[in-house]
Amino acid sequence: MAEQDWVSERFAEHHDRLHAVAYRMLGSPGEAEDAVQEAWLRVSRADTGQVENPAGWLTTVVARVCLNMLEARRTRREESAGALPPEPAVPHAGVHPTGESDPENEALLADSVGVALMVVLDTLAPAERLAFVLHDVFAVSFGEISAIIDRSPAATRQLASRARRRVQGAAGASDAARSAKREIVAAFLAASRSGDFAALLGLLDPDAVVGEVRGDHAVAAFFAGRAQAARLALVDGVPAAVWSHRGRPKAVFSFTIGDGKITHIAIDADPDRIRDLDIVFLPRRRQGAASTGMDLRLSSCSLAVHDVEEALGFYRDVLGFEVRDDAEPEGARRVSLGLPSQPDVQIFLESRAADPGVLPADRQAIEDLMAKGLLGRLAFETGNCDATFEHIEAAGAEVMQEPIDQPDGVRDCAFLDPSGNVLQFTEPRQVVLALALQQAD
């Protein structure tokens, strides 16, 4: 009886989160409740003696129930080509944009969440949908997700990455992404990054408020030069700004607009609330086709990939590498490629885990390192860090670090390639060097 009471208490404690997971997985409040009820039947009969993390255990059970329901849904559709799509989704009752609500926000929320996000999720394969929702929305690790869908952590990362690109594409095409509010927030971020005080004043209402900071001049001074790592995003369908660290959202900036001016900015850094938000990052607007910033010079590399063909597509089509050799010695594919501007420098893409000479234990260790982004690193120099970031982000690469000025006088950003290798792009700051030489004189 004591064990049953413990299960009931833990289930009640996490019920809202479990329902949120199920809703985002299934897109229907009714099906979400069915999934939660089915999960309760399973956990009420389970042996809980070895459960150390109740929240993780319950999330896993609900996720597996949802995966089964998605697989069954897809089978029904394949059997009946004329089947109707699922009922239109409505936003989850417990999820709202941070800050004050207004009719514009509510209209954007209904449009973007109901169409741009939930509809595109419904086009994903069940495993892709689960990987994206659990990792990007609920911060579940790829290692935990891989156990649910019976894939390697690296393969799970790949599924989530593909799903993320499709969701971002749908979000970028939504009315919310193209709204007047989006333009105002984007302009505010650009002015903040560049420290353009006059531009900030032009966007702020004279009585603008941010926490205890009041008045357009005080708010402009507060934000001038301080949004280096903030990104434009749809947060529960509403244009906002999000600051992330190592790919994890840490703070959400919500904007209230009146008569075309920013009247209030709410900053929310509560991890529990942020975890429950639907955050879809939007690409930055290009400033001109001529400025690509892709004048790269390779400085060092050491790579392994779990899918040579996918990695080849990324380095060839996104970064502009040229292929120099493609061979399969002893059955393990090995591709040599490099930058056209550096014909004497080349890297090799090798599926080391697929090498027949690698022992099973070592193969799993390689897969785990790939999933964590700890196996390989490419370091580049670029003439324009921001333009390089925009180019690669627009191609759907996973962001590891936004462009940011470092104390040593450089500006850099970083991405993960499809296998989890780190790509770092550094722009030397010549101005800093010139100032140092001037002080030395």
Side-chain angles (χ1 to χ4, degrees):
M1 182 61 68
E3 181 178 349
Q4 187 65 28
D5 291 342
W6 182 87
V7 173
S8 299
E9 291 174 0
R10 299 292 79 73
F11 197 86
E13 176 185 351
H14 298 288
H15 179 274
D16 289 347
R17 173 182 168 84
L18 299 178
H19 189 279
V21 170
Y23 171 72
R24 285 163 177 78
M25 283 293 302
L26 301 170
S28 163
E31 286 187 304
E33 190 57 41
D34 290 343
V36 173
Q37 291 299 320
E38 173 62 25
W40 164 248
L41 292 176
R42 295 190 183 190
V43 301
S44 64
R45 297 192 297 263
D47 179 6
T48 60
Q50 302 299 318
V51 175
E52 297 180 357
N53 180 6
W57 174 60
L58 293 171
T59 299
T60 297
V61 174
V62 169
R64 284 177 172 152
V65 171
C66 291
L67 186 61
N68 291 339
M69 294 175 69
L70 288 172
E71 292 284 5
R73 180 193 293 174
R74 185 172 66 169
T75 300
R76 288 196 301 271
R77 286 178 181 167
E78 291 172 351
E79 293 174 349
S80 176
L84 294 175
E87 62 189 85
V90 296
H92 190 269
V95 178
H96 300 283
T98 309
E100 299 178 17
S101 176
D102 55 57
E104 179 195 12
N105 280 357
E106 293 179 2
L108 294 178
L109 177 63
D111 174 73
S112 182
V113 174
V115 178
L117 180 57
M118 300 307 288
V119 169
V120 75
L121 283 180
D122 200 49
T123 68
L124 302 177
E128 286 180 330
R129 183 165 180 161
L130 185 143
F132 170 76
V133 169
L134 290 186
H135 180 265
D136 285 43
V137 180
F138 294 97
V140 179
S141 71
F142 286 123
E144 294 173 280
I145 299 171
S146 67
I148 300 174
I149 61 177
D150 195 25
R151 308 280 183 93
S152 70
T156 303
R157 177 192 290 276
Q158 184 179 3
L159 289 174
S161 179
R162 284 203 300 262
R164 187 181 306 113
R165 287 195 292 269
R166 294 177 67 178
V167 170
Q168 288 175 336
S174 71
D175 288 345
R178 299 191 300 267
S179 69
K181 185 168 187 176
R182 180 234 194 258
E183 299 299 333
I184 292 173
V185 174
F188 180 87
L189 290 177
S192 178
R193 290 190 190 102
S194 62
D196 190 335
F197 190 82
L200 287 171
L201 283 180
L203 295 165
L204 292 166
D205 183 88
D207 298 319
V209 176
V210 180
E212 300 298 322
V213 181
R214 298 178 177 274
D216 54 353
H217 283 74
V219 173
F222 178 80
F223 277 102
R226 299 186 63 182
Q228 298 297 325
R231 298 177 64 190
L232 184 65
L234 293 182
V235 177
D236 281 350
V238 179
V242 177
W243 175 73
S244 302
H245 179 64
R246 295 186 66 85
R248 294 292 187 200
K250 297 296 184 181
V252 173
F253 301 78
S254 301
F255 296 77
T256 302
I257 310 295
D259 296 328
K261 300 287 187 178
I262 298 171
T263 61
H264 181 260
I265 303 175
I267 304 175
D268 190 351
D270 182 270
D272 292 330
R273 285 195 296 269
I274 292 175
R275 189 180 301 115
D276 289 335
L277 297 174
D278 288 319
I279 297 175
V280 180
F281 291 107
L282 297 174
R284 297 183 186 179
R285 295 289 175 85
R286 298 290 185 86
Q287 298 300 315
S291 177
T292 64
M294 298 296 287
D295 55 335
L296 305 177
R297 292 172 296 281
L298 180 63
S299 59
S300 65
C301 69
S302 176
L303 294 179
V305 299
H306 67 268
D307 187 324
V308 174
E309 190 63 34
E310 183 183 40
L312 175 59
F314 176 80
Y315 287 98
R316 178 188 59 210
D317 302 334
V318 177
L319 297 187
F321 279 43
E322 61 182 12
V323 179
R324 294 169 182 163
D325 188 37
D326 189 343
E328 294 189 29
E330 299 181 359
R333 190 175 178 190
R334 187 169 187 254
V335 176
S336 169
L337 69 171
L339 289 165
S341 60
Q342 292 181 295
D344 296 330
V345 179
Q346 63 182 353
I347 66 171
F348 294 95
L349 304 179
E350 299 177 279
S351 182
R352 296 178 186 175
D355 190 326
V358 176
L359 298 175
D362 295 332
R363 184 176 295 112
Q364 184 59 52
I366 291 173
E367 291 280 359
D368 291 342
L369 288 171
M370 285 181 175
K372 296 176 181 178
L374 299 175
L375 190 59
R377 176 181 293 270
L378 274 174
F380 297 93
E381 288 185 2
T382 176
N384 190 326
C385 181
D386 291 278
T388 297
F389 177 85
E390 292 169 7
H391 176 88
I392 299 174
E393 183 194 35
E398 183 173 352
V399 177
M400 185 176 183
Q401 177 196 305
E402 291 275 338
I404 189 170
D405 291 321
Q406 301 293 354
D408 57 356
V410 302
R411 185 168 177 81
D412 62 7
C413 63
F415 291 87
L416 295 179
D417 78 357
S419 295
N421 294 301
V422 178
L423 283 71
Q424 184 173 11
F425 300 88
T426 301
E427 176 188 354
R429 288 300 200 192
Q430 301 301 327
V431 174
V432 175
L433 178 60
L435 288 175
L437 292 174
Q438 183 178 13
Q439 291 174 356
D441 294 337

